[in-house]
C-alpha cells in the first residue's frame, strides 16, 4: 500500500530526496514478499523464525535504500530485488507449492522483469511511440504483477 504513495510523492516533484520515498516501499515490498513465500512454503517453519527473518529482511531493505542515498550505490537495493526473483521460484519448486501459486508468481515475475526492462528503455520507448514512456509502462507492468499475486491470494482465500 505504501508503494503508490511513495511513487506519487516522488512524481509530484522528482528529485533524489523524493526518490528515497519511492524506493523504500518497493524494497520493503520485495523483502516482505520474499519472507512470506519462504514462511508459507517451508514445512514446519516456526512463527518465531519467520518473524526474525522478516525483521532482518526489512532491516536490509531499509539499509539498501539508505546505502543508495549515502553512496549512490544501488547494488544492495538491486540485490534484494534480484534475490526475490531467484529465491521465490526456487522455494516454490523445492517445497512443491501449489501449481496455481507457481504459475501466478511466475507470471508476476515476468511482468516485473518486463517492467524493469521498460524502465531501462524509458527514452527509447518514448522516441519510438511519441506517446508513452518506458517509465509509464514500467508502472503499469509493476501494477499488473502485484495484481496477479493479489488475485491469486484472493482465489486461495475463497477456497479455504
Amino acid at each position: 500500500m505504501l508503494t503508490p504513495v511513495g511513487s506519487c510523492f516522488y512524481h509530484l516533484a522528482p528529485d533524489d530526496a523524493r526518490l528515497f520515498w519511492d524506493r523504500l516501499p518497493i524494497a520493503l515490498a520485495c523483502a516482505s514478499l520474499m519472507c512470506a513465500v519462504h514462511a508459507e512454503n517451508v514445512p514446519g517453519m516456526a512463527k518465531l523464525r519467520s518473524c526474525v527473518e522478516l525483521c532482518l529482511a526489512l532491516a536490509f531493505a531499509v539499509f539498501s535504500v539508505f546505502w543508495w542515498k549515502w553512496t549512490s550505490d544501488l547494488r544492495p537495493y538491486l540485490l534484494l530485488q534480484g534475490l526475490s526473483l531467484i529465491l521465490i521460484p526456487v522455494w516454490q519448486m523445492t517445497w512443491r507449492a501449489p501449481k496455481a501459486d507457481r504459475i501466478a508468481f511466475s507470471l508476476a515475475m515476468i511482468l516485473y522483469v518486463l517492467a524493469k526492462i521498460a524502465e531501462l528503455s524509458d527514452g527509447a520507448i518514448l522516441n519510438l511511440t511519441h506517446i508513452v514512456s518506458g517509465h509509464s509502462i514500467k508502472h503499469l507492468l509493476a501494477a499488473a504483477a502485484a495484481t496477479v499475486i493479489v488475485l491469486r491470494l484472493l482465489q486461495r482465500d475463497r477456497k479455504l
Side-chain angles (χ1 to χ4, degrees):
M1 296 304 292
L2 293 175
T3 304
V5 173
S7 185
C8 275
F9 180 69
Y10 168 71
H11 285 89
L12 288 172
D15 64 15
D16 280 353
R18 286 176 174 246
L19 184 56
F20 175 88
W21 296 106
D22 186 32
R23 287 187 171 154
L24 182 61
I26 294 168
L28 294 171
C30 284
S32 299
L33 182 63
M34 194 166 44
C35 288
V37 170
H38 190 243
E40 184 175 70
N41 286 285
V42 176
M45 175 70 98
K47 287 183 183 180
L48 178 61
R49 180 177 168 196
S50 296
C51 289
V52 169
E53 285 181 5
L54 178 60
C55 289
L56 291 172
L58 292 175
F60 182 79
V62 171
F63 163 79
S64 74
V65 180
F66 272 104
W67 180 261
W68 159 76
K69 185 177 173 93
W70 295 327
T71 67
S72 298
D73 182 1
L74 277 171
R75 286 179 296 177
Y77 176 75
L78 296 174
L79 174 66
L80 179 63
Q81 291 183 27
L83 282 175
S84 63
L85 291 171
I86 294 167
L87 293 176
I88 288 173
V90 167
W91 292 332
Q92 287 183 326
M93 286 187 298
T94 301
W95 289 294
R96 293 180 177 80
K99 185 176 181 179
D101 286 1
R102 293 191 317 264
I103 290 169
F105 275 84
S106 295
L107 177 57
M109 288 180 189
I110 290 167
L111 290 167
Y112 192 75
V113 167
L114 290 174
K116 295 305 271 183
I117 292 168
E119 179 180 37
L120 294 172
S121 306
D122 181 46
I125 292 172
L126 182 60
N127 288 336
L128 182 67
T129 64
H130 301 290
I131 297 170
V132 65
S133 69
H135 190 86
S136 299
I137 293 171
K138 173 199 85 162
H139 281 281
L140 295 172
L141 290 168
T147 300
V148 167
I149 292 171
V150 169
L151 290 175
R152 174 61 191 143
L153 295 176
L154 289 172
Q155 181 186 40
R156 280 189 348 191
D157 284 350
R158 285 191 200 118
K159 290 181 180 180
L160 294 178

